[in-house]
Amino acid sequence: MGELDPTFIQEPEHRPKPAVIEAHGIPEIDLSPYITSSSSSPNAIHDLVDEIRDACKDWGFFQVINHGVPIEIREKVQSVAKRFFDQSLEEKKKVKRDEANPLGYYDTEHTKNVRDWKEVFDFMVDDPVVMPASYDDDDDGGTVEYTNQWPHHPSELREVCEEYVKEVQKLSNKLLELISLSLNLPANRLEPFFKDQTTFIRLNHYPPCLAPDLALGVGRHKDAGVLTILAQDDVGGLEVKRKIDGEWIFVKPTPNAFIINVGDIIQVWSNDTYESVEHRVRVNSIRERFSIPYFVNPAPYTVVEPLAELTNERNPARYKGYNWGKFFATRKLSNFKKLNVENIQIYHFKKPDEGKIEDVVTRVENVVI
Ligand code: OGA
Ligand code: NI
């Protein structure tokens, strides 16, 4: 590709800075007291929960080590992902997503209406999942089934991905328990939300880009779900917006660590005790990069609202409840094509401090048209 297609070009204020600022401070948390050793002292667990709480408050991001996911399984997915993306576009498009089923391959995702410099392959943990067809407040918008589309080549992709899911699922459950404890809730408080989960995994490939100063691999965004468990390779590119000063901080890859961030749903459940933090991905002109985010999401029929135990008269709920399946379906649809209106966001459900609640439905309808 010679000149950069204008659809990829970020507005000047959102372009990556030439100099990278490396992360000093994104906490690295050793999960061994909770995961790999069976007889940890209550003190060790207490300290770990404190570390998680501080990380969620100060950064919204942390890395975990000694997380229990075998390195061989992660390496296998990384290698099969590379073999998948190395194929011709024609081959990859055999499992192309479409408007009815947003799972599979695509290379046209937009974040905040600018095209991302990447190609992806998405699949869900539960298959199939019945989702609302779109955002419709009257519940008569119908449903659609999202089903995984597994490619014929590489033939082992499905098996390797399913093995990976089994392992990361265990880590996800442990992290949800630790986060519950860090909010002074019982460890299993969040478990019921995941009976019919809409968790999905994305294989990301960021090819080298001739104009890495103009484009981004993923534009600035927050993750809409509960938690993201990200495996990144040694190239690096993830940047996190530091809460204290809004500076974009490069997350230096730590071999075999996972990067965890709390998503919008934890922000709402915790009634803003924890915030979902903006992040983005820069690309470079030399090395391709692979990453695998595991997006932990609840059942489609979940009404997302501040947890009753975390609100009271002095700290009333700051959000109106919203239906996760409808929110997710709307996001998926608006990701599918460039829209000239703002994407649906949780702040549309934020209650004003006083006075009238704004008309959310009107805004949402603007998005899906
Ligand atoms: C995402 C994301 C980060 C990365 O896909 O939501 O933030 O490093 N990815 O690929
Ligand atoms: Ni993200």
Side-chain angles (χ1 to χ4, degrees):
M1 196 186 292
E3 228 164 78
L4 185 69
D5 184 308
T7 54
F8 290 103
I9 297 179
Q10 299 283 333
E11 292 296 331
E13 69 270 30
H14 298 309
R15 292 178 193 165
K17 296 221 180 90
V20 160
I21 304 177
E22 284 196 3
H24 292 289
I26 285 192
E28 183 176 289
I29 300 184
D30 179 350
L31 292 181
S32 51
Y34 204 65
I35 291 190
T36 43
S37 57
S38 50
S39 59
S40 291
S41 71
N43 273 350
I45 291 175
H46 187 265
D47 289 351
L48 173 59
V49 169
D50 282 351
E51 275 184 78
I52 301 260
R53 182 183 307 109
D54 289 347
C56 289
K57 279 199 170 151
D58 298 344
W59 285 91
F61 267 84
F62 51 97
Q63 305 210 47
V64 292
I65 55 168
N66 294 324
H67 42 65
V69 178
I71 186 164
E72 313 79 66
I73 293 181
R74 174 163 163 173
E75 283 170 349
K76 269 205 234 161
V77 193
Q78 276 163 344
S79 126
V80 81
K82 176 165 169 52
R83 274 180 286 139
F84 173 74
F85 289 117
D86 274 350
Q87 299 177 111
S88 67
L89 193 57
E90 189 194 356
E91 189 62 32
K92 291 182 278 195
K93 284 197 164 166
K94 290 182 181 164
V95 288
K96 191 163 93 51
R97 69 177 278 183
D98 56 34
E99 227 155 320
N101 183 9
L103 301 172
Y105 172 81
Y106 59 111
D107 61 358
T108 51
E109 187 163 66
H110 292 78
T111 305
K112 306 238 186 330
N113 291 334
V114 181
R115 193 164 157 200
D116 294 333
W117 190 266
K118 67 172 183 191
E119 51 180 346
V120 312
F121 177 80
D122 285 350
F123 62 96
M124 300 197 89
V125 169
D126 284 2
D127 180 31
V129 172
V130 178
M131 297 290 281
S134 69
Y135 199 99
D136 181 332
D137 237 22
D138 302 329
D139 259 337
D140 57 2
T143 57
V144 285
E145 257 187 25
Y146 290 6
T147 47
N148 288 338
Q149 302 196 67
W150 296 106
H152 288 298
H153 306 288
S155 56
E156 66 278 32
L157 186 118
R158 175 177 189 165
E159 195 188 321
V160 170
C161 287
E162 287 177 346
E163 202 184 353
Y164 183 72
V165 163
K166 241 193 256 164
E167 293 300 327
V168 182
Q169 173 82 63
K170 291 185 225 163
L171 173 60
S172 160
N173 293 344
K174 294 286 182 189
L175 288 166
L176 289 170
E177 288 173 14
L178 286 165
I179 287 175
S180 300
L181 293 170
S182 78
L183 291 164
N184 301 318
L185 299 168
N188 63 359
R189 173 63 174 90
L190 302 176
E191 203 183 294
F193 292 115
F194 299 93
K195 283 228 161 59
D196 300 303
Q197 60 183 327
T198 55
T199 296
F200 74 102
I201 291 86
R202 173 166 288 172
L203 307 178
N204 273 317
H205 175 221
Y206 303 99
C209 176
L210 285 177
D213 48 339
L214 298 178
L216 286 168
V218 188
R220 71 191 196 287
H221 68 283
K222 298 175 180 180
D223 294 344
V226 175
L227 275 186
T228 306
I229 302 175
L230 176 81
Q232 68 163 341
D233 66 13
D234 63 341
V235 175
L238 175 65
E239 293 188 326
V240 172
K241 198 169 183 176
R242 184 161 60 192
K243 281 178 82 173
I244 47 167
D245 58 3
E247 196 67 68
W248 287 103
I249 305 294
F250 181 83
V251 181
K252 208 173 156 210
T254 301
N256 196 28
F258 284 99
I259 298 163
I260 314 296
N261 63 292
V262 300
D264 291 347
I265 293 182
I266 294 232
Q267 176 171 332
V268 173
W269 278 343
S270 74
N271 207 28
D272 289 346
T273 304
Y274 297 158
E275 274 171 65
S276 169
V277 165
E278 254 185 345
H279 51 285
R280 67 184 189 186
V281 175
R282 61 192 296 151
V283 283
N284 72 79
S285 57
I286 302 162
R287 289 185 70 189
E288 63 179 345
R289 172 176 183 257
F290 296 90
S291 75
I292 312 164
Y294 181 108
F295 296 104
V296 180
N297 291 329
Y301 45 79
T302 305
V303 176
V304 182
E305 59 192 342
L307 298 174
E309 304 93 308
L310 301 180
T311 58
N312 57 38
E313 247 170 55
R314 268 183 300 122
N315 181 23
R318 298 184 185 186
Y319 299 87
K320 298 197 292 182
Y322 60 92
N323 177 292
W324 165 249
K326 292 177 178 183
F327 186 97
F328 188 62
T330 307
R331 271 288 180 93
K332 283 276 172 212
L333 180 60
S334 60
N335 275 344
F336 192 72
K337 50 190 169 213
K338 184 168 159 48
L339 296 167
N340 289 320
V341 288
E342 195 182 16
N343 210 342
I344 183 173
Q345 301 284 350
I346 52 167
Y347 69 75
H348 297 149
F349 301 95
K350 191 123 193 170
K351 290 183 178 178
D353 285 341
E354 274 176 9
K356 208 165 116 268
I357 288 169
E358 62 187 297
D359 186 354
V360 174
V361 175
T362 314
R363 280 170 178 256
V364 170
E365 280 171 358
N366 284 341
V367 175
V368 288
I369 284 167

